[in-house]
Amino acid sequence: MPPAESASFQPLPDPAPQPPRLVGVEAEFMGPSARRAAQALAAGVGGEVVAEDAHAFAVRGSALGDLAVELDLRYAHPQRHGMTLPVRIGPKAAAGLGWLVSGAVPRELIVPPLPVERLAEVDRILDLLRAAGAHGRGATAFGSLGLHFNIDAPAADLPRITAVMLAFGLMESRLRREIAQGQRRLERHLPPPYPPEFLHRIAAPGYRPGQAQLVDDYLAANPTRDRGLDLLPLLLGLDPARVRAKLPYEKIAARPVFHFRLPQAHPGEAGWSIAADWNRWVAVERLAADGERLAATARAYRAGEAWGDGTGPLAEAVLPG
C-alpha cells in the first residue's frame, strides 16, 4: 500500500463554475480512548479538547476545523440521541456502559466537511492516531471498521440524486470485491447490498421519480441505514414526516449528503490512505454524470450481462477505470 504522502485524491466530476462541494469523513479505530485520541489530535494539529460526555470529545479550533472523537455507541451519548433511543438511560449509566464495552466497540473520528484538495490532511491526522496506539484492519469481531464519506449532495436535484443512486447500485458488486480484497473476514461485515429487485426497478429506462416516489421506493427496499450508500440522511431532509413514519428510531440526522459507508478503515496499517476509497466514490459520480454510459450500464444489468466482474461485453466500454 503506498504511503499516505504519495496518495492521489481525484476531483469530483462537477462542471465549473460552481461552489466546491465539501466532504466530511468518519473513520473508526480501536485502541486509545476517545479522550486520549482527542488529546493526541490536539497535540498534533492544535485546538482545545472539550468533553461532551465521558466518551465523546471535541477538538475545537484545530488546523482542520472542529474535530470530534467518540465511542461509536449511541447509548453512550443519551443527551444527543435520547429522542431516537428505544430505551433511555441516564448519563451515569451511559458512562458505565461505555466503559464496559469500550474493548469491543470502536471509537470514531469525525472530520468536518473539507474541500477535496484537503482530504490528504485526513491521512495525516489518522497517522497521529496510529502513533497514539490506534489499530484495526477493516473489521472487528462484530462488524466493519467503518470509513464513511459524507459528500455534499444537490438536495433539490432529484434526477442527479437518482443517477448517483443508480450508478452506485450498478457498481456495488465491483466496489465490494475491491474493498474486501478477497478476504472473507472483511466481506462478511460489509453492509448488505441494495436488493436486486430495487436495483432492477431503478435501472428501468423510464424511472424518473418525483420526490414522494423516490422516498417511498427507497424506504420500501432499504428501511435501514445499513447500506453501502445510505440515502436516509438526504431523504430525511427532503421529507422528514415520510422517513420518520417508517423509521421512528433509526439513528439518522438530516443532512444534504451522499453517505458513502461501504469502505472499511485500516488504521493499523502503516501508510494506509483513504485515497483509494475516495477515488472509488469519484468513479461512481463519473458514471452518474455520463448519461449515455449510465443508460448502457443499466441496460446491461437488466439484460443479465456479467459486466460487474470485468467479464461481460460492456465491461471496458461502460465502467469507469
Side-chain angles (χ1 to χ4, degrees):
M1 189 173 295
E5 50 267 33
S6 68
S8 175
F9 291 83
Q10 297 176 7
L12 289 165
D14 292 327
Q18 66 175 24
R21 292 161 65 200
L22 303 181
V23 184
V25 181
E26 304 163 14
E28 295 179 351
F29 60 92
M30 304 300 293
S33 68
R35 181 192 296 273
R36 175 71 187 95
Q39 292 170 339
L41 293 175
V45 293
E48 177 188 6
V49 176
V50 178
E52 179 181 335
D53 60 44
H55 302 287
F57 293 83
V59 183
R60 295 181 181 161
S62 85
L64 284 83
D66 291 345
L67 306 172
V69 185
E70 61 184 48
L71 189 70
D72 190 30
L73 179 73
R74 57 178 173 159
Y75 280 98
H77 318 291
Q79 75 284 357
R80 191 190 318 154
H81 299 296
M83 296 302 293
T84 60
L85 291 175
V87 178
R88 300 184 187 180
I89 60 177
K92 185 176 291 187
L97 176 63
W99 294 121
L100 183 65
V101 303
S102 60
V105 175
R107 264 61 73 194
E108 182 175 48
L109 165 69
I110 303 168
V111 181
L114 299 171
V116 174
E117 56 267 24
R118 294 193 65 188
L119 287 178
E121 297 179 52
V122 179
D123 279 345
R124 289 193 278 277
I125 64 173
L126 289 167
D127 287 342
L128 293 173
L129 291 178
R130 185 180 305 110
H135 59 86
R137 295 175 180 266
T140 69
F142 304 103
S144 275
L145 206 58
L147 169 64
H148 301 172
F149 295 93
N150 293 293
I151 306 102
D152 280 352
D157 190 344
L158 292 180
R160 181 66 176 169
I161 293 169
T162 304
V164 170
M165 176 178 66
L166 173 58
F168 172 80
L170 293 170
M171 290 187 65
E172 186 171 14
S173 61
R174 169 184 167 178
L175 298 175
R176 294 172 71 88
R177 284 192 300 275
E178 292 180 358
I179 289 168
Q181 305 170 32
Q183 299 182 43
R184 295 187 64 185
R185 176 184 72 89
L186 299 181
E187 183 179 1
R188 71 171 178 264
H189 290 308
L190 290 173
Y194 285 160
E197 298 82 2
F198 172 70
L199 184 52
H200 196 79
R201 175 175 175 80
I202 66 175
Y207 188 75
R208 297 178 181 84
Q211 179 175 298
Q213 183 185 354
L214 176 65
V215 175
D216 286 345
D217 288 350
Y218 185 86
L219 290 175
N222 308 285
T224 173
R225 65 193 181 97
D226 193 20
R227 291 289 187 265
L229 174 57
D230 169 24
L231 291 183
L232 292 180
L234 177 57
L235 299 183
L236 183 63
L238 290 175
D239 196 334
R242 221 178 202 90
V243 174
R244 282 302 180 196
K246 180 76 171 181
L247 302 170
Y249 298 117
E250 190 67 87
K251 179 187 172 184
I252 323 167
R255 295 174 292 175
V257 298
F258 295 118
H259 188 194
F260 180 41
R261 58 189 310 275
L262 186 62
Q264 295 173 323
H266 294 260
E269 297 181 12
W272 173 67
S273 171
I274 67 171
D277 286 301
W278 167 252
N279 294 339
R280 290 183 180 105
W281 174 258
V282 173
V284 170
E285 291 226 15
R286 286 178 179 168
L287 178 57
D290 188 332
E292 290 186 7
R293 188 168 60 179
L294 182 63
T297 308
R299 287 195 299 271
Y301 172 78
R302 287 173 61 86
E305 297 178 19
W307 57 266
D309 58 4
T311 63
L314 289 177
E316 293 191 5
V318 173
L319 288 176

